[in-house]
Amino acid sequence: MSGSFVVLMFLVIMVPVFAISMFMPYWTRRTESFGVSIPERVYNTSELRALRKSYLFRVSAISLIVTVLFLAIGVGGMDSDEAFSWLFGSTLVLYLVGSFLIYLQFHKKMKAMKKQQQWQKDQPQRTVVDTSFREEKLTYSNGWFLVPFILSIVTFIVTFNFYDQIPDRIPMNYNFEGDVTNWVDKTYRSVMLMPAMQLFMTVLFLFVNVVIARAKQQVSAENPEESKRQNIVFRRRWSLFIIFGSVGMVALFGFAQASFIFDVPGELMLYVPIIFGGLITIASVLLAFTTGQGGSRVHVTQEVDGKVIDRDDDRYWKLGQFYFNKNDPAIFLEKRFGVGWTVNLARPLAWVIFALIIGIALLLPMLLGA
């Protein structure tokens, strides 16, 4: 495996991961800091700005160390795909564990600072619910998912029409040189794997779009109107991203299916998914940077009241990241440290949904003989 390919994989996957980790404290809501709820008025105080800069410096340092180690080992060339997979996987795990440990340190500091400063003492706390929020157009129409659905149906039809042209053995895996490493015998079941995955991904992305629309409403008590407008923009932007992502993903599976029928170079089968994954990753980073969690980086001109603050619900957020509240009927809600949505782990239905998604993804290849 060439050193240039190692560098490409690093740039496409690891660099965006570094960027997300380093700048995450700048993308969260201004009512939260390192997984701890705070009044919005203290977000830009010198103490909290210094804390965010310190976090950025430490995560940047570990990112640099991981980069040097990865490139020092990988650029010289790897003996096998297995060796590269081990290097890449261990590097990623090492980085994620290291950055999470750094986060825990700052989460602990933030809790101690909040207790010492007593920002919320003697201030009325309130949970704001805007009854007109659900009347807004929070996401783009689910009808847009007809596009990937139609692409999936076209793949089914083309596969049946060209079934006789498909070779008796179908390539399932490629190594990093573009050579086929795994084959399956051609059957009507095995050739249906890619179209079935297209339909599964379409339904999954449609489900995510529904989640974006129905996730728990989170409106700031300090500035409810601004918060509402920001959250609407936040949901609509990610809804659009999901729609484009679904079309791209289904098209990628269609490209893989076309390689069974037509002569597609192995190198193309290797680099097209990498380039697509890189574009999706870069787009998500840019969206997070320009929008922030809950629309926190969307500029809306309005002053913070500060007389009433959000209700303190830190006790329901384990380590500032895992939400567990039996009294909350909501299943989906915004992440506290991060961009996007998470689940209420106290709701059994959340675990059922997890099990269904993972189960279907694992069972499809088995049922279709791949």
Side-chain angles (χ1 to χ4, degrees):
M1 183 183 301
S2 65
S4 59
F5 181 80
V6 172
V7 173
L8 174 63
M9 289 292 290
F10 183 83
L11 291 175
V12 168
I13 299 178
M14 293 302 296
V15 170
V17 171
F18 292 163
I20 291 171
S21 298
M22 289 187 295
F23 293 101
M24 191 59 70
Y26 295 89
W27 297 346
T28 58
R29 282 175 172 265
R30 282 175 256 173
T31 54
E32 296 154 3
S33 179
F34 297 103
V36 178
S37 63
I38 59 172
E40 188 171 344
R41 59 183 170 77
V42 304
Y43 179 81
N44 284 316
T45 58
S46 58
E47 293 90 348
L48 266 64
R49 288 202 304 267
L51 210 59
R52 290 193 289 272
K53 288 180 181 179
S54 178
Y55 177 88
L56 174 62
F57 175 78
R58 292 193 187 185
V59 176
S60 298
I62 192 175
S63 300
L64 179 61
I65 293 171
V66 168
T67 299
V68 171
L69 289 175
F70 183 87
L71 296 181
I73 299 173
V75 168
M78 305 297 294
D79 295 334
S80 65
D81 292 342
E82 290 76 14
F84 176 78
S85 297
W86 275 104
L87 171 64
F88 188 83
S90 58
T91 300
L92 185 59
V93 170
L94 175 66
Y95 180 78
L96 293 176
V97 170
S99 58
F100 184 71
L101 291 176
I102 292 174
Y103 158 79
L104 288 180
Q105 293 178 355
F106 281 82
H107 174 68
K108 185 177 180 180
K109 288 181 180 179
M110 193 68 243
K111 289 180 68 176
M113 184 182 296
K114 177 180 177 179
K115 184 177 180 180
Q116 180 183 16
Q117 298 289 344
Q118 296 186 343
W119 291 311
Q120 295 166 308
K121 184 180 180 182
D122 299 328
Q123 275 197 288
Q125 300 180 21
R126 190 175 300 165
T127 298
V128 175
V129 176
D130 190 325
T131 56
S132 65
F133 184 75
R134 298 295 173 187
E135 298 174 5
E136 302 285 347
K137 191 172 179 60
L138 301 177
T139 59
Y140 288 88
S141 171
N142 290 330
W144 284 107
F145 291 94
L146 283 173
V147 176
F149 178 76
I150 292 172
L151 289 176
S152 304
I153 299 302
V154 169
T155 305
F156 269 106
I157 295 172
V158 171
T159 300
F160 274 110
N161 287 341
F162 287 88
Y163 182 79
D164 292 338
Q165 293 183 219
I166 299 176
D168 293 333
R169 300 178 70 214
I170 304 173
M172 283 288 112
N173 296 102
Y174 292 83
N175 62 17
F176 294 117
E177 302 297 332
D179 302 320
V180 180
T181 58
N182 185 34
W183 305 79
V184 296
D185 295 330
K186 180 181 75 171
T187 65
Y188 278 104
R189 283 199 309 159
S190 62
V191 299
M192 286 297 108
L193 175 61
M194 292 300 171
M197 289 300 296
Q198 286 179 307
L199 287 176
F200 170 67
M201 295 304 298
T202 299
V203 173
L204 181 60
F205 278 105
L206 172 61
F207 173 72
V208 173
N209 199 51
V210 172
V211 167
I212 292 174
R214 301 197 176 188
K216 182 179 179 180
Q217 177 188 157
Q218 291 177 248
V219 178
S220 171
E222 296 181 69
N223 202 338
E225 281 303 315
E226 176 191 35
S227 176
K228 175 185 173 181
R229 291 199 295 271
Q230 287 177 325
N231 198 257
I232 291 172
V233 173
F234 170 67
R235 296 190 189 219
R236 285 182 59 80
R237 286 183 181 180
W238 279 106
S239 172
L240 188 62
F241 175 82
I242 290 299
I243 291 171
F244 276 103
S246 68
V247 174
M249 185 67 73
V250 168
L252 184 64
F253 278 109
F255 173 72
Q257 186 75 350
S259 70
F260 300 163
I261 305 171
F262 308 103
D263 186 19
V264 179
E267 291 81 4
L268 202 58
M269 293 300 301
L270 172 65
Y271 284 103
V272 167
I274 293 175
I275 294 172
F276 174 76
L279 291 175
I280 286 292
T281 305
I282 292 171
S284 63
V285 171
L286 290 176
L287 186 55
F289 176 77
T290 56
T291 307
Q293 178 66 322
S296 60
R297 296 182 67 84
V298 176
H299 180 67
V300 179
T301 304
Q302 192 163 341
E303 295 183 0
V304 177
D305 188 307
K307 296 179 181 178
V308 178
I309 60 177
D310 289 328
R311 189 179 300 278
D312 189 340
D313 61 350
D314 287 352
R315 63 188 181 279
Y316 300 121
W317 287 93
K318 313 307 177 184
L319 301 179
Q321 294 202 27
F322 307 102
Y323 188 69
F324 194 94
N325 184 359
K326 294 181 180 179
N327 299 319
D328 189 347
I331 299 175
F332 303 100
L333 69 162
E334 290 179 18
K335 293 180 179 178
R336 175 159 281 197
F337 188 78
V339 176
W341 290 264
T342 186
V343 296
N344 182 358
L345 295 173
R347 308 304 300 176
L349 184 56
W351 293 98
V352 172
I353 292 172
F354 271 139
L356 280 175
I357 293 174
I358 296 173
I360 293 173
L362 293 176
L363 284 175
L364 272 180
M366 298 171 59
L367 293 174
L368 295 174

